[in-house]
Amino acid sequence: GRVASNNMTKTATVRVERRMKHKLYGKYLTRSSKYHAHDEAGECKTGDLVLIEECRPISKTKSWKVVQLMEKAKIV
């Protein structure tokens, strides 16, 4: 998913998008979910593409961790 926010210490908010087909009309829709992922090194910046995996609960809302930074965000 893409990092939507990195304002918290050691936490990145990751937006994961998926495409689904509408049952009746057949049109493809984009649905997204946001996950709080643990980023120990603090290397993730907004717009980066990361790989996350589920882990034990670290806090009330954080049960995911960043495994790999796949692509850096393009700076405009």
Side-chain angles (χ1 to χ4, degrees):
R2 292 258 174 217
V3 177
S5 171
N6 65 337
N7 294 334
M8 296 172 278
T9 307
K10 295 186 179 182
T11 304
T13 304
V14 181
R15 170 182 246 107
V16 178
E17 292 186 346
R18 60 188 171 84
R19 290 174 52 83
M20 59 166 282
K21 191 174 185 178
H22 193 278
K23 290 180 187 177
L24 179 62
Y25 300 115
K27 181 179 180 178
Y28 285 95
L29 307 169
T30 304
R31 296 284 182 233
S32 64
S33 301
K34 282 184 176 180
Y35 300 102
H36 290 217
H38 185 67
D39 180 23
E40 183 66 38
E43 61 186 9
C44 295
K45 305 292 183 223
T46 304
D48 290 350
L49 184 66
V50 295
L51 180 67
I52 60 173
E53 73 176 8
E54 196 169 10
C55 65
R56 64 176 180 82
I58 298 169
S59 68
K60 181 180 175 181
T61 59
K62 192 161 59 166
S63 297
W64 296 81
K65 66 179 178 180
V66 175
V67 178
Q68 181 183 3
L69 180 65
M70 301 180 77
E71 178 184 304
K72 295 293 256 181
K74 296 176 180 70
I75 300 170
V76 178

